[in-house]
Amino acid sequence: MGRGSRGKRRLSAGAEISRRALFAGLAGAALMPLRAPGRGARAATLLQAGAERRLRAAAGSAPLVGGSYPDTAVWCYEGVVPGPLLRARQGEAVRLVVENHLQVGTSVHWHGLRVPNAMDGVPGLTQDPIASGARFVYEFELPDAGTYWYHPHIGSPEQVGRGLYGAFIVEETEPPLVDRELVWIIDDWRLTEDAQISDDFGNWHDASHAGRLGNTVTVNGRQPQDLSVRAGERIRLRLINAANARVFALRFQDHRPRVIALDGQPVAPHEPAEGLVVLAPAQRVDLILDLEGQPGQRSPVDDVYYQQDVVRFLELVYDEDAPLRDKPLDGSIALAPNPLAEPELATAERHRIEFGGGMMDPKLRRGEVTPDALRERFAEGGIWTVNGVAHLAHAHEPLLRLTKDRSAVLDLVNDTVWDHPIHLHGHSFRVLTRNGQARPHREWRDTLLLRPGDRAEIAFVADNPGDWMFHCHILEHQETGMMATLRVG
Ligand code: C2O
Ligand code: CU
């Protein structure tokens, strides 16, 4: 079961742990009060226009595993994992005061929010790191409604991997009518046998393969608990993947969730391909879930991304109450579009961007790179490349200079045998094609999963001036070279 086969790996100090071992210890956890994964949604307070909100980054602890396991020592915002759920209304301005009580410099990046460059939270590029003991005030407006999140952008594999992240929800003026809204911020942790974070951050194996895959999955900072539901209700489920490296593909048995937004941006409501809700690191999916089962029914939600290893994620557990209604609500579930400029394809500038490197580099097989050249790059810490160059620092010569307000079409190629969720800062982009096929919904995204060998065309209007990161969101890949910057203006 579980990710035993993958999850069982050598950890620090020779400790070995498997997801099975962690679950085995959970028998006693049944006595713990059940917590719906969505409870975070109710804990949120709406940011009042003009009001300020403090985010204090510090060491803390969290009952990630539960049962008889000790709390896990983490780094987190305001003492909780995930950090406070920030909610504000579209069009409002927010002021967020980040205080650093960690021993290391930090920053906050507002993933997916189209903020001014100086508020983007990228040390070396848009600001200095917030030193230990210092604070930084982020202030910006919220042009787009949707599901976003925030996390540090320095030493990210360790800072995000130890628990520094939270959800940021921007409410629509007219949200679709639902009975409940839930936010699931999903993470994947590598824990030792005593439920502590394995401190083998930055190791070469993770960096050169699939990144830091863990052995313990959490939803809102707890191991997933079954979700009790009532027949007939309609739930809006906002999913966020905060894991360093793990991709999820959720299959809702007996149910047909419909996708209404991807990476915060509205999309024509549709059932996902093959019924799988795929969520790569940093991606978000908003779903409408109609609970069409019967009172007393149990329906599993499984994670099937790593196909040899189907994992029961949680179960939807119907209570015995009579159905809330006999047919699904009929109001529209489509979201109003956000004010994104439509790219003009005919006049767009076009660029090809190739992601390369990693173990089993296809260029080695094709004789396009010599083992010596590779060894040399690896020795300098550059495992991954963008257009042949491994960038190890945020500040570097821009990969592209884009004319402000002009449209750009980027032809992205994954020339590796690994997954790469590629994220662009400061803009959302339309996905035009994937492996030569037009995308039926031409969805807007800010993070696109490129599977091995994939090719995709994306388009956007370069309307937000500044230097913007463009990188893989498997944090160990980013840190070892798979990043670049685009300069707009
Ligand atoms: Cu979510 Cu460059 O980051
Ligand atoms: Cu990658």
Side-chain angles (χ1 to χ4, degrees), residues 20 36 40 54 76 88 128 156 187 225 227 245 281 300 308 312 330 342 410 412 423 433 457 475:
R20 179 183 297 121
R54 184 190 69 177
C76 58
D128 289 331
S156 314
D187 197 359
Q225 305 283 340
L227 177 68
Q308 71 277 34
R312 176 68 28 97
D330 50 7
E342 189 59 46
L410 306 183
L412 310 181
H423 171 46
T433 66
E457 283 175 302
L475 301 172

Short mmCIF file of all heavy atoms in Angstrom, two decimals, residues 20 36 40 54 76 88 128 156 187 225 227 245 281 300 308 312 330 342 410 412 423 433 457 475:
data_model
loop_
_atom_site.label_atom_id
_atom_site.label_comp_id
_atom_site.label_asym_id
_atom_site.label_seq_id
_atom_site.Cartn_x
_atom_site.Cartn_y
_atom_site.Cartn_z
N ARG A 20 3.99 3.31 5.05
CA ARG A 20 3.28 2.23 5.73
C ARG A 20 3.55 2.32 7.23
O ARG A 20 2.65 2.21 8.05
CB ARG A 20 3.72 0.88 5.19
CG ARG A 20 3.03 -0.29 5.89
CD ARG A 20 3.54 -1.62 5.39
NE ARG A 20 3.25 -1.81 3.99
CZ ARG A 20 4.16 -2.03 3.05
NH1 ARG A 20 5.43 -2.08 3.38
NH2 ARG A 20 3.83 -2.19 1.81
N ALA A 36 -12.51 17.83 9.50
CA ALA A 36 -12.68 17.94 8.05
C ALA A 36 -11.49 18.71 7.50
O ALA A 36 -11.05 19.68 8.11
CB ALA A 36 -13.97 18.69 7.74
N GLY A 40 -9.78 24.81 7.66
CA GLY A 40 -9.03 26.05 7.47
C GLY A 40 -9.88 27.14 6.82
O GLY A 40 -9.73 28.31 7.11
N ARG A 54 -0.47 40.72 9.66
CA ARG A 54 0.90 40.34 9.97
C ARG A 54 1.12 38.87 9.62
O ARG A 54 0.27 38.03 9.85
CB ARG A 54 1.16 40.54 11.46
CG ARG A 54 2.60 40.26 11.86
CD ARG A 54 2.75 40.23 13.36
NE ARG A 54 2.07 39.07 13.91
CZ ARG A 54 2.08 38.73 15.19
NH1 ARG A 54 2.71 39.48 16.07
NH2 ARG A 54 1.45 37.65 15.61
N CYS A 76 6.99 28.01 10.10
CA CYS A 76 5.65 28.33 9.62
C CYS A 76 5.30 29.80 9.86
O CYS A 76 6.05 30.53 10.50
CB CYS A 76 4.63 27.41 10.28
SG CYS A 76 4.62 27.51 12.07
N ALA A 88 -9.43 37.96 0.53
CA ALA A 88 -9.73 39.36 0.27
C ALA A 88 -10.64 39.39 -0.95
O ALA A 88 -10.87 38.36 -1.58
CB ALA A 88 -8.45 40.13 0.00
N ASP A 128 15.83 42.70 -1.42
CA ASP A 128 16.84 41.98 -0.65
C ASP A 128 16.11 40.96 0.20
O ASP A 128 14.93 41.14 0.52
CB ASP A 128 17.60 42.94 0.27
CG ASP A 128 18.51 43.86 -0.53
OD1 ASP A 128 18.98 43.43 -1.61
OD2 ASP A 128 18.73 45.01 -0.10
N SER A 156 14.24 27.92 -1.14
CA SER A 156 12.87 27.38 -1.17
C SER A 156 12.75 25.90 -0.84
O SER A 156 11.81 25.53 -0.14
CB SER A 156 12.21 27.65 -2.52
OG SER A 156 12.41 28.97 -2.93
N ASP A 187 0.23 18.81 0.89
CA ASP A 187 1.69 18.82 0.96
C ASP A 187 2.17 17.37 1.10
O ASP A 187 1.39 16.45 1.38
CB ASP A 187 2.14 19.68 2.16
CG ASP A 187 3.62 20.07 2.06
OD1 ASP A 187 4.30 19.68 1.09
OD2 ASP A 187 4.09 20.77 2.98
N GLN A 225 -8.13 13.31 6.45
CA GLN A 225 -9.22 12.67 7.20
C GLN A 225 -10.39 12.52 6.26
O GLN A 225 -10.57 13.34 5.37
CB GLN A 225 -9.65 13.60 8.36
CG GLN A 225 -8.54 14.02 9.28
CD GLN A 225 -8.14 12.94 10.26
OE1 GLN A 225 -8.92 12.02 10.50
NE2 GLN A 225 -6.96 13.04 10.81
N LEU A 227 -13.94 12.90 4.72
CA LEU A 227 -14.75 14.12 4.68
C LEU A 227 -16.22 13.74 4.80
O LEU A 227 -16.72 12.99 3.97
CB LEU A 227 -14.51 14.85 3.36
CG LEU A 227 -15.36 16.10 3.16
CD1 LEU A 227 -14.94 17.21 4.13
CD2 LEU A 227 -15.25 16.60 1.72
N ALA A 245 7.76 18.56 -4.63
CA ALA A 245 8.01 17.78 -5.85
C ALA A 245 6.89 16.83 -6.25
O ALA A 245 6.85 16.40 -7.40
CB ALA A 245 9.30 16.97 -5.67
N PRO A 281 3.17 20.39 -8.50
CA PRO A 281 3.58 21.37 -7.51
C PRO A 281 3.24 22.79 -7.96
O PRO A 281 3.51 23.16 -9.09
CB PRO A 281 5.09 21.16 -7.40
CG PRO A 281 5.24 19.69 -7.65
CD PRO A 281 4.22 19.38 -8.74
N PRO A 300 -14.36 6.50 -2.20
CA PRO A 300 -12.94 6.86 -2.05
C PRO A 300 -12.49 7.94 -3.02
O PRO A 300 -13.00 8.07 -4.13
CB PRO A 300 -12.20 5.55 -2.37
CG PRO A 300 -13.20 4.61 -2.91
CD PRO A 300 -14.57 5.18 -2.75
N GLN A 308 1.90 2.79 -10.41
CA GLN A 308 2.20 1.51 -9.76
C GLN A 308 1.80 1.57 -8.29
O GLN A 308 1.91 0.61 -7.57
CB GLN A 308 3.68 1.14 -9.93
CG GLN A 308 4.66 1.99 -9.14
CD GLN A 308 5.00 3.29 -9.85
OE1 GLN A 308 4.19 3.91 -10.53
NE2 GLN A 308 6.23 3.74 -9.66
N ARG A 312 -4.97 5.52 -1.35
CA ARG A 312 -6.25 6.03 -0.87
C ARG A 312 -5.98 7.37 -0.20
O ARG A 312 -5.25 7.46 0.77
CB ARG A 312 -6.82 5.01 0.14
CG ARG A 312 -8.10 5.39 0.84
CD ARG A 312 -9.32 5.42 -0.07
NE ARG A 312 -9.29 4.56 -1.24
CZ ARG A 312 -9.85 3.36 -1.31
NH1 ARG A 312 -10.49 2.86 -0.29
NH2 ARG A 312 -9.78 2.65 -2.42
N ASP A 330 -29.32 24.00 -9.96
CA ASP A 330 -29.08 24.32 -11.36
C ASP A 330 -28.39 25.65 -11.62
O ASP A 330 -27.97 25.89 -12.70
CB ASP A 330 -30.30 24.06 -12.27
CG ASP A 330 -31.57 24.68 -11.74
OD1 ASP A 330 -31.43 25.40 -10.75
OD2 ASP A 330 -32.65 24.44 -12.29
N GLU A 342 -5.86 39.73 -23.82
CA GLU A 342 -5.88 38.60 -24.75
C GLU A 342 -4.68 38.68 -25.70
O GLU A 342 -4.51 39.68 -26.40
CB GLU A 342 -7.19 38.64 -25.54
CG GLU A 342 -7.47 37.42 -26.39
CD GLU A 342 -7.55 36.13 -25.59
OE1 GLU A 342 -8.21 36.11 -24.53
OE2 GLU A 342 -6.93 35.14 -26.03
N LEU A 410 5.50 31.41 -26.43
CA LEU A 410 6.69 30.64 -26.07
C LEU A 410 6.43 29.17 -26.37
O LEU A 410 5.40 28.61 -25.98
CB LEU A 410 7.03 30.82 -24.58
CG LEU A 410 7.18 32.26 -24.09
CD1 LEU A 410 7.58 32.27 -22.61
CD2 LEU A 410 8.21 33.04 -24.92
N LEU A 412 7.54 25.75 -25.50
CA LEU A 412 8.28 25.13 -24.40
C LEU A 412 8.54 23.66 -24.72
O LEU A 412 7.64 22.93 -25.12
CB LEU A 412 7.47 25.22 -23.10
CG LEU A 412 6.92 26.61 -22.73
CD1 LEU A 412 6.16 26.53 -21.41
CD2 LEU A 412 8.06 27.62 -22.65
N HIS A 423 6.70 27.52 -14.07
CA HIS A 423 5.95 28.66 -13.52
C HIS A 423 6.49 29.99 -14.02
O HIS A 423 7.70 30.22 -13.98
CB HIS A 423 6.02 28.61 -11.98
CG HIS A 423 5.47 29.82 -11.29
ND1 HIS A 423 4.25 30.39 -11.63
CD2 HIS A 423 5.94 30.57 -10.27
CE1 HIS A 423 4.02 31.44 -10.84
NE2 HIS A 423 5.04 31.57 -10.01
N THR A 433 -1.33 24.98 -27.26
CA THR A 433 -1.22 23.62 -27.79
C THR A 433 -0.39 22.78 -26.83
O THR A 433 0.39 23.30 -26.02
CB THR A 433 -0.49 23.58 -29.15
OG1 THR A 433 0.88 23.98 -28.95
CG2 THR A 433 -1.14 24.48 -30.17
N GLU A 457 2.81 25.15 -26.40
CA GLU A 457 2.90 26.57 -26.74
C GLU A 457 2.01 27.36 -25.78
O GLU A 457 0.84 27.03 -25.61
CB GLU A 457 2.39 26.81 -28.15
CG GLU A 457 3.36 26.42 -29.23
CD GLU A 457 2.72 26.59 -30.59
OE1 GLU A 457 1.67 25.98 -30.84
OE2 GLU A 457 3.28 27.35 -31.40
N LEU A 475 11.14 22.29 -6.50
CA LEU A 475 12.03 23.31 -5.94
C LEU A 475 13.50 22.89 -6.02
O LEU A 475 14.38 23.74 -6.16
CB LEU A 475 11.61 23.63 -4.51
CG LEU A 475 10.15 24.15 -4.43
CD1 LEU A 475 9.70 24.27 -2.98
CD2 LEU A 475 9.99 25.47 -5.16
#
